[in-house]
Amino acid sequence: MENNLLKEAYTRLYPEKEIPFLCGARYSNRLNDYNSRISLKNNFLEVHMSKKWQAVDEEIKLGLVQSLMLRLLKEKNIKTTQNIELYHNFIKKLDLAITKTESEPVLDASFHRVNEKYFNGFLEKPNLSWGNETRVKLASYNLHTDTIAVSSLFQEAEQEVLDFLMYHELLHKKLKFEAHGLRSSFHSPEFRNLEHSFEDYTQIERKIRGVLRKRPQKGRGLLNFFKEFI
Ligand SMILES: [Zn+2]
């Protein structure tokens, strides 16, 4: 029955056309929370969705599938659809629905400090975890799982440095994204303005470089740190 999901999504995008692929859609235990992915191999178009998607309204799932399809097909002419709008609205509120299972005392304390100081305590705590010890991605926010992960490089970093990474990621949780058709902007001008309001913002870059320098990694220079975390 889920095969119809792909056909229906395609037909609504291209009412004049027959879908030129064989289709498959499945729910997978391997994907967390509301993650999903799409692949096209040998004319077989397949969508994997986490089990959580099973219970989601069909119109919203059609939007998910359409946005995956349009990205895969590199479609330039279709900017958005009603279903995609529904899907965007759904994922912007997802963090409210996700059960929080992951936490960690140091990150937990950082969350509470930052939430009190910069968000008047209004933000709901996301999942918090230490990520791999990587300098490619210092920290990230996954809105499909409502999880902030901070690179383990920062496990013993100064409070202020950790709090800045936490602040940046919490801004993502708060602002979500601005959809411009299929392209979403995560670091909007509003985001950057708020980011710069972090206390002693100008000192933070230097301090982060300090943390990275203490853990040199062969064969890699330091990238501009603003590109290193999302
Ligand atoms: Zn970011």
Side-chain angles (χ1 to χ4, degrees):
M1 61 98 191
E2 291 302 337
N3 291 355
N4 293 333
L5 189 69
L6 275 76
K7 285 195 181 127
E8 180 66 19
Y10 190 90
T11 306
R12 290 194 193 185
L13 288 170
Y14 306 104
E16 311 292 310
K17 292 196 216 166
E18 238 351 80
I19 189 161
F21 313 112
L22 295 170
C23 297
R26 348 194 223 135
Y27 295 106
S28 157
N29 278 327
R30 289 194 187 170
L31 296 169
N32 289 333
D33 288 315
Y34 291 88
N35 280 333
S36 60
R37 59 188 171 82
I38 191 166
S39 62
L40 178 61
K41 270 185 212 145
N42 303 324
N43 210 43
F44 184 59
L45 185 68
E46 192 173 33
V47 170
H48 288 223
M49 291 169 280
S50 68
K51 291 265 182 196
K52 291 255 170 93
W53 281 103
Q54 243 166 339
V56 175
D57 186 90
E58 197 82 356
E59 293 296 314
I60 294 170
K61 274 191 280 197
L62 285 168
L64 162 72
V65 172
Q66 285 182 334
S67 76
L68 291 169
M69 273 181 180
L70 291 177
R71 210 161 294 163
L72 181 86
L73 301 173
K74 299 194 166 63
E75 171 62 62
K76 296 266 168 21
N77 297 320
I78 300 173
K79 300 296 177 215
T80 191
T81 66
Q82 267 186 3
N83 290 102
I84 289 174
E85 300 288 320
L86 285 171
Y87 163 65
H88 281 165
N89 288 335
F90 176 74
I91 54 175
K92 282 181 183 175
K93 297 198 180 101
L94 256 187
D95 57 331
L96 298 173
I98 290 170
T99 317
K100 312 302 186 277
T101 51
E102 284 189 78
S103 200
E104 195 287 328
V106 174
L107 294 174
D108 201 81
S110 174
F111 165 78
H112 287 293
R113 281 193 301 273
V114 173
N115 193 27
E116 285 309 315
K117 186 163 175 180
Y118 295 98
F119 301 100
N120 294 318
F122 282 140
L123 288 184
E124 192 209 14
K125 194 173 79 158
N127 284 308
L128 299 167
S129 73
W130 291 109
N132 293 336
E133 192 169 301
T134 167
R135 66 193 58 228
V136 175
K137 196 155 66 170
L138 304 187
S140 63
Y141 175 63
N142 182 337
L143 59 81
H144 292 94
T145 62
D146 193 28
T147 302
I148 288 177
V150 179
S151 162
S152 300
L153 280 176
F154 294 90
Q155 264 176 346
E156 279 152 34
E158 276 182 68
Q159 216 172 67
E160 194 187 6
V161 169
L162 185 60
D163 286 0
F164 175 69
L165 296 177
M166 183 63 69
Y167 177 62
H168 180 107
E169 301 311 332
L170 286 172
L171 282 177
H172 282 306
K173 177 178 164 74
K174 182 177 159 98
L175 300 175
K176 306 294 181 347
F177 55 87
E178 287 176 15
H180 307 287
L182 281 179
R183 287 182 39 215
S184 302
S185 139
F186 290 92
H187 298 119
S188 62
E190 183 192 8
F191 184 100
R192 289 302 184 197
N193 269 338
L194 287 168
E195 183 185 39
H196 291 196
S197 70
F198 189 83
E199 195 182 347
D200 289 332
Y201 174 77
T202 50
Q203 300 299 312
I204 291 291
E205 180 178 7
R206 192 176 53 77
K207 289 187 175 177
I208 289 180
R209 282 177 187 282
V211 173
L212 296 178
R213 212 170 291 127
K214 271 194 235 154
R215 306 281 194 97
Q217 203 176 49
K218 283 175 198 153
R220 263 194 82 123
L222 291 177
L223 299 171
N224 178 338
F225 94 101
F226 286 112
K227 294 197 179 126
E228 286 174 9
F229 69 113
I230 53 173

